[in-house]
């Protein structure tokens, strides 16, 4: 019998095009996703050298970062407009399929890839976007790249990469009811820091991970990069196959059965070993709220804001002081006493239909707190349609939320969806960096349920005590 | 890409860890479709106030660092977004070498692809360099061929870089042209395995 392998090693070995001593491996890329912000210079590079896109059929583009989420036929910013027109023009010239702003498939690139069935187990997937790790939820090896590498993949469908080190992120036990994947991944990053994954590909394992739906698994893998890991993945199983069945780009009938057999064989072998391992107990995870300016600056909603003197290894005393100052927070106060002015439910972390359903359940029949501006931005136009068919848009708008079109929106505030300086936002996105949601904006990362409850109460509350029925 | 072999330059120290690419270049400047011209936006929110005036409390605005070409920082430099606009901004501003006690993976790669040399030293070494550069104008020499960093006062540190990336920097390769010499293997792979 051959040596037991992790899924990471299996995918790698199947994609090596060329191996040479003292060089990284040349690996084949099965799918490249493209968006308007990190691609124009790559296409221009091809043009300048007279190169073509090697495999337009393995390339798929959409517009997400810059798009307006309201009155979307009017793009006020001429530079944004030009960037989107440039993508349109490049896709026409190089014959790359594009879901543009008017296309029913348009949405956040990491939402639509899985939705359309482009994302499949065992694939190597890249995109000029660090949250490409999301697609790892399907047992794909998916990672973010820079624009030079985007150009390289467009031209050659390959990348030079050293084989990654592997890390098992083992989640023992089970999550309590009403604790979400978002709480789990925030708790993992809070425990091990923002750089424990640097240089590794993470595989999330354990019973609590197996229990998660595909959409929750995407939330976990999405934030691998916030732990420093370019990629994070989960071995595929029945949950994966059931999600994929019937999607547009997924094989059908007998071919599907054959694909499932191949996909099943990808899962990490029982005796396989990793280069490193970390462990966390799922049952100790509570609803999380970030208080600082990186995702590891995170505490349970029942806790108090840390004092600089409590500095651990990952954040120094100076870093805590600086973060508290930027965030306008006082040490030792309960995080539940912090009031907010904005709520953003959206982003490639938490904008899928199940995220919206769970948030709607919290909101139903209630009213957004006075002085709070709350917004729901579905991850794709098709998520939006499904939500509307279920009446979720009504639940949100009747409570006082704004109901928008799909895009990255307030996660990075490249369009007009911006948090003003000094104001505070409960956000379901993935980064609480300084200025991320607008210059001077203060971001607190939470789950969709926690964001919904914060919208109603105007401050952070423990969603477990807030809900009368389990979500 | 311009080759880089040896470099001697003024050091700018920034004594912080986890400097993310959102700080290096904020999102409002990512809408341009060119590779050039991002230097003016480097560390924008730290360098300028709301009215666009230079902040006196941000050290890069100190004239003693005018012309700096080597940046020294703490751990996890370049974390977060994969935006290559970050190395483009650093390079356009004049930085040719970035020294840190650790780098984020994507950022590190992005530097090399643009001919910026990222050098990982120990925390002790970066702290020493930060301290020196915070005082009088401080010049450092970098020799990529021999993988060593040194000053005129006895500081010397060797550094690791994988050979392939070292060669790429030394020669200023067009990586796509290199890869296309393996075109036959890519085609064979596509015909048999992909």
């Amino acid at each position: 019998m051959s040596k037991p392998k992790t899924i990471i090693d299996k995918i790698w070995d199947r994609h090596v095009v060329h191996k040479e001593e003292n060089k990284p491996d040349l690996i084949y890329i099965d799918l490249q996703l493209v968006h308007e912000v990190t691609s124009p210079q790559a296409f221009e590079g091809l043009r300048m050298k007279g190169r073509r896109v090697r495999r337009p059929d393995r390339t798929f583009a959409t517009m997400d970062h810059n798009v307006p989420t309201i009155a979307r036929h009017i793009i006020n910013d001429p530079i944004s407009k030009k960037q989107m027109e440039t993508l349109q023009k490049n896709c026409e010239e190089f014959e790359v399929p594009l879901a543009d702003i008017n296309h029913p498939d348009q949405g956040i690139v990491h939402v639509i890839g899985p939705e359309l069935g482009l994302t499949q187990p065992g694939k190597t997937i890249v995109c000029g976007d660090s949250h490409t790790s999301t697609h790892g939820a399907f047992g794909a090896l998916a990672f973010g790249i820079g624009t030079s590498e985007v150009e390289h993949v467009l031209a050659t469908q390959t990348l030079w990469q050293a084989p990654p080190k592997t890390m098992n992120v083992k989640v023992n036990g089970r999550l309590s009811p009403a604790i979400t994947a978002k709480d789990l991944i925030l708790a993992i990053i809070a425990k091990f820091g923002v750089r424990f994954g640097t240089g590794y590909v993470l595989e999330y394992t354990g019973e609590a991970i197996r229990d998660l739906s595909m959409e929750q698994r995407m939330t976990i893998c999405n934030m691998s990069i916030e732990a420093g890991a370019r990629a994070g993945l989960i071995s595929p199983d029945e949950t994966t196959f059931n999600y994929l069945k019937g999607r547009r780009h997924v094989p059908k009938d007998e071919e599907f059965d054959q694909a499932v057999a191949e996909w099943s064989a990808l899962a990490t072998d029982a005796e396989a070993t990793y280069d490193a391992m970390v462990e966390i107990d799922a049952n100790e995870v509570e609803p999380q709220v970030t208080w600082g300016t990186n995702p590891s600056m995170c505490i349970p909603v029942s806790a108090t804001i840390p004092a600089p003197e409590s500095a651990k290894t990952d954040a120094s005393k100076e870093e805590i002081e600086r973060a508290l100052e930027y965030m306008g927070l006082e040490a030792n106060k309960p995080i539940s006493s912090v009031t907010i002015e904005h709520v953003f439910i959206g982003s490639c972390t938490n904008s899928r239909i199940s995220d919206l359903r769970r948030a709607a359940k919290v909101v139903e029949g209630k009213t957004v707190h006075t002085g709070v501006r709350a917004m729901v931005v579905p991850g794709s136009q098709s998520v939006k349609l499904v939500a509307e068919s279920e009446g979720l848009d009504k639940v949100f708008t009747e409570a006082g939320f704004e109901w928008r079109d799909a895009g990255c929106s307030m996660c990075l505030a490249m369009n007009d969806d911006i948090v003003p300086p000094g104001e505070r936002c409960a956000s379901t996105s993935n980064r609480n960096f300084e200025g991320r949601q607008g210059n001077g904006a203060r971001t607190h990362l939470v789950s969709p349920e926690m964001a919904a409850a914060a919208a109603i109460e105007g401050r952070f509350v423990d969603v477990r005590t807030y809900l009368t029925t389990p979500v | 890409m311009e080759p880089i072999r040896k470099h001697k330059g003024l050091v700018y120290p920034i004594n912080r860890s986890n400097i993310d690419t959102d700080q290096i270049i904020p999102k409002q400047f990512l809408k341009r479709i060119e590779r050039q011209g991002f230097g003016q936006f480097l560390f924008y929110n730290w360098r300028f106030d709301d009215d666009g005036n230079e902040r006196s409390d941000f050290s890069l605005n100190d004239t003693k660092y005018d012309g700096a070409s080597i940046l020294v920082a703490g751990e996890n430099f370049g974390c977060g977004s994969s935006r290559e606009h970050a190395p483009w901004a650093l390079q356009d501003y004049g930085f040719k070498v970035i020294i840190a006690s650790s780098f984020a993976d994507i950022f590190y790669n992005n530097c090399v692809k643009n001919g910026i040399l990222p050098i990982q030293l120990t925390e002790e070494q970066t702290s020493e360099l930060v301290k020196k550069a915070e005082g009088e104008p401080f010049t450092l020499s970098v020799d990529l061929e021999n993988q060593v960093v040194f000053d005129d006062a006895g500081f010397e540190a060797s550094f690791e870089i994988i050979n392939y990336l070292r060669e790429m920097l030394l020669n200023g390769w067009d990586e796509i042209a290199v890869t296309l010499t393996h075109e036959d293997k890519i085609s064979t792979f596509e015909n048999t395995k992909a």
Side-chain angles (χ1 to χ4, degrees):
Chain A
M1 211 184 107
S2 59
K3 185 173 170 280
K5 283 181 182 174
T6 67
I7 180 173
I8 302 158
D9 301 324
K10 291 185 196 180
I11 298 175
W12 193 271
D13 292 350
R14 284 174 194 205
H15 286 84
V16 175
V17 172
H18 175 70
K19 226 176 173 48
E20 212 176 304
E21 222 168 299
N22 291 323
K23 257 188 149 181
D25 295 343
L26 186 65
I27 62 160
Y28 196 75
I29 302 301
D30 293 315
L31 172 68
Q32 172 156 237
L33 301 167
V34 171
H35 66 77
E36 76 276 20
V37 177
T38 56
S39 66
Q41 296 86 351
F43 283 112
E44 183 59 19
L46 294 182
R47 210 174 281 122
M48 279 162 60
K49 299 264 176 162
R51 288 169 177 149
R52 64 192 175 99
V53 173
R54 183 180 178 89
R55 295 295 298 263
D57 60 323
R58 291 181 175 276
T59 313
F60 189 89
T62 192
M63 300 172 176
D64 55 6
H65 282 62
N66 258 325
V67 297
T69 57
I70 197 164
R72 51 187 4 203
H73 51 287
I74 311 161
I75 301 159
N76 291 319
D77 180 346
I79 312 174
S80 288
K81 191 157 181 255
K82 187 167 180 203
Q83 197 171 53
M84 284 185 259
E85 287 167 354
T86 302
L87 181 62
Q88 188 102 39
K89 197 167 63 79
N90 285 332
C91 288
E92 278 163 22
E93 183 182 337
F94 292 96
E95 298 176 330
V96 170
L98 167 70
D100 70 12
I101 192 165
N102 301 310
H103 198 284
D105 293 337
Q106 182 270 340
I108 304 174
V109 67
H110 309 310
V111 175
I112 67 173
E115 211 167 65
L116 298 171
L118 289 163
T119 304
Q120 291 170 21
K123 278 191 178 181
T124 45
I125 302 175
V126 297
C127 175
D129 192 287
S130 61
H131 291 112
T132 308
S133 58
T134 312
H135 306 265
F138 291 81
L141 185 62
F143 49 92
I145 55 178
T147 298
S148 295
E149 289 180 317
V150 170
E151 184 181 338
H152 191 278
V153 176
L154 287 173
T156 69
Q157 208 59 37
T158 62
L159 275 179
W160 295 96
Q161 295 279 308
K165 291 185 286 179
T166 59
M167 187 189 293
N168 182 4
V169 180
K170 193 160 177 262
V171 186
N172 298 315
R174 303 188 112 126
L175 292 171
S176 322
I179 302 299
T180 68
K182 184 62 163 290
D183 300 307
L184 174 58
I185 189 65
L186 283 172
I188 290 171
I189 297 167
K191 184 164 181 177
F192 302 110
V194 288
R195 42 187 187 262
F196 82 91
T198 305
Y200 290 91
V201 172
L202 311 181
E203 182 180 355
Y204 300 95
T205 66
E207 207 176 0
I209 298 292
R210 289 283 138 229
D211 285 347
L212 296 174
S213 69
M214 272 326 294
E215 298 196 345
Q216 296 248 328
R217 291 180 188 185
M218 286 188 244
T219 301
I220 297 278
C221 292
N222 173 273
M223 290 191 70
S224 302
I225 184 68
E226 311 321 327
R230 281 180 89 171
L233 50 63
I234 294 170
S235 285
D237 58 14
E238 284 303 315
T239 304
T240 323
F241 311 143
N242 291 337
Y243 178 96
L244 287 168
K245 195 170 188 179
R247 293 189 184 264
R248 198 185 305 166
H249 292 276
V250 172
K252 306 218 163 18
D253 306 321
E254 276 161 41
E255 282 183 8
F256 180 77
D257 297 337
Q258 203 183 326
V260 166
E262 283 170 27
W263 293 338
S264 303
L266 286 168
T268 290
D269 298 328
E271 303 298 316
T273 53
Y274 300 82
D275 296 309
M277 179 163 94
V278 296
E279 286 185 84
I280 189 167
D281 283 327
N283 47 20
E284 70 185 33
V285 177
E286 293 180 51
Q288 303 285 311
V289 184
T290 65
W291 59 267
T293 52
N294 75 45
S296 75
M297 295 174 163
C298 182
I299 49 176
V301 66
S302 59
T304 54
I305 297 162
E309 299 73 48
S310 70
K312 298 177 294 182
T313 47
D314 201 50
S316 67
K317 185 167 172 282
E318 292 73 27
E319 280 176 285
I320 296 178
E321 273 167 2
R322 192 181 151 79
L324 289 176
E325 190 192 335
Y326 179 85
M327 293 297 290
L329 293 174
E330 214 177 303
N332 302 318
K333 284 259 173 84
I335 190 81
S336 59
S337 66
V338 175
T339 57
I340 48 128
E341 290 89 34
H342 299 265
V343 171
F344 171 60
I345 298 178
S347 88
C348 57
T349 314
N350 280 128
S351 63
R352 297 177 182 84
I353 189 66
S354 60
D355 296 316
L356 305 193
R357 284 180 189 141
R358 296 193 327 268
K361 204 152 192 176
V362 175
V363 166
E364 194 155 25
K366 301 188 181 73
T367 309
V368 169
H369 198 269
T370 313
V372 173
R373 174 207 192 194
M375 188 192 279
V376 182
V377 183
S380 69
Q381 289 302 84
S382 67
V383 167
K384 187 180 187 220
L385 273 184
V386 174
E388 288 173 352
S389 75
E390 296 177 10
L392 302 186
D393 58 324
K394 295 275 178 315
V395 171
F396 285 115
T397 52
E398 279 166 16
F401 278 82
E402 296 174 39
W403 179 251
R404 296 295 190 92
D405 285 309
C408 298
S409 179
M410 205 180 261
C411 172
L412 84 166
M414 260 190 95
N415 67 356
D416 294 333
D417 306 337
I418 294 172
V419 178
E423 295 191 13
R424 204 175 286 288
C425 182
S427 178
T428 66
S429 54
N430 41 55
R431 288 190 176 132
N432 50 346
F433 296 156
E434 284 183 30
R436 174 79 179 179
Q437 296 192 290
N439 188 19
R442 294 161 171 167
T443 302
H444 296 268
L445 304 177
V446 287
S447 71
E449 290 89 326
M450 287 288 289
I456 305 303
E457 294 296 322
R459 63 183 180 88
F460 295 108
V461 291
D462 187 337
V463 75
R464 289 173 300 182
T465 56
Y466 193 77
L467 284 164
T468 47
T469 50
V471 281
Chain B
M1 182 174 112
E2 292 280 309
I4 177 166
R5 287 178 171 264
K6 287 188 167 67
H7 177 74
K8 186 173 184 178
L10 182 68
V11 178
Y12 168 62
I14 180 161
N15 193 16
R16 289 182 195 170
S17 288
N18 302 320
I19 293 178
D20 58 76
T21 52
D22 273 82
Q23 308 316 315
I24 298 172
I25 182 149
K27 71 300 200 106
Q28 63 268 36
F29 308 115
L30 307 185
K31 296 173 183 176
R32 298 158 65 101
I33 56 171
E34 302 83 20
R35 267 178 196 254
Q36 291 81 26
F38 289 100
Q40 56 188 312
F41 310 123
L42 179 70
F43 295 122
Y44 191 86
N45 293 338
W46 289 350
R47 264 166 75 203
F48 302 103
D49 65 18
D50 295 346
D51 303 319
N53 301 312
E54 284 193 0
R55 289 177 190 271
S56 57
D57 62 351
F58 188 60
S59 56
L60 191 58
N61 290 329
D62 189 332
T63 52
K64 80 172 177 186
Y65 297 121
D66 286 357
S69 59
I70 300 176
L71 187 147
V72 182
E75 283 199 87
N76 204 24
F77 190 80
C79 60
S81 160
S82 60
R83 57 188 71 166
E84 199 163 312
H85 311 70
W88 294 337
L90 286 159
Q91 188 167 50
D92 190 51
Y93 190 87
F95 289 109
K96 292 182 162 51
V97 176
I98 316 285
I99 300 174
S101 34
S102 66
F103 289 92
D105 290 338
I106 303 175
F107 176 84
Y108 186 94
N109 262 322
N110 285 344
C111 281
V112 174
K113 310 275 161 161
N114 287 281
I116 298 176
L117 170 59
I119 297 177
Q120 185 171 352
L121 296 182
T122 66
E123 226 178 321
E124 214 173 24
Q125 290 164 335
T126 55
S127 300
E128 186 180 342
L129 293 177
V130 163
K131 208 166 279 167
K132 286 185 175 200
E134 279 175 346
E136 292 302 303
F138 172 61
T139 303
L140 204 57
S141 296
V142 176
D143 178 346
L144 175 57
E145 263 178 316
N146 295 304
Q147 294 176 221
V148 66
V149 177
F150 57 94
D151 68 6
D152 302 332
F155 176 92
E156 190 176 310
S158 59
F159 63 90
E160 297 291 320
I161 178 168
I162 68 166
N163 196 48
Y164 173 76
L165 298 181
R166 179 172 163 273
E167 292 291 315
M168 193 188 308
L169 285 162
L170 287 172
N171 297 297
W173 281 338
D174 170 357
E175 195 183 28
I176 295 174
V178 174
T179 306
L180 289 174
T181 64
H182 299 287
E183 216 280 324
D184 55 328
K185 294 191 186 91
I186 301 172
S187 292
T188 306
F189 185 94
E190 285 179 326
N191 294 332
T192 55
K193 292 183 185 164

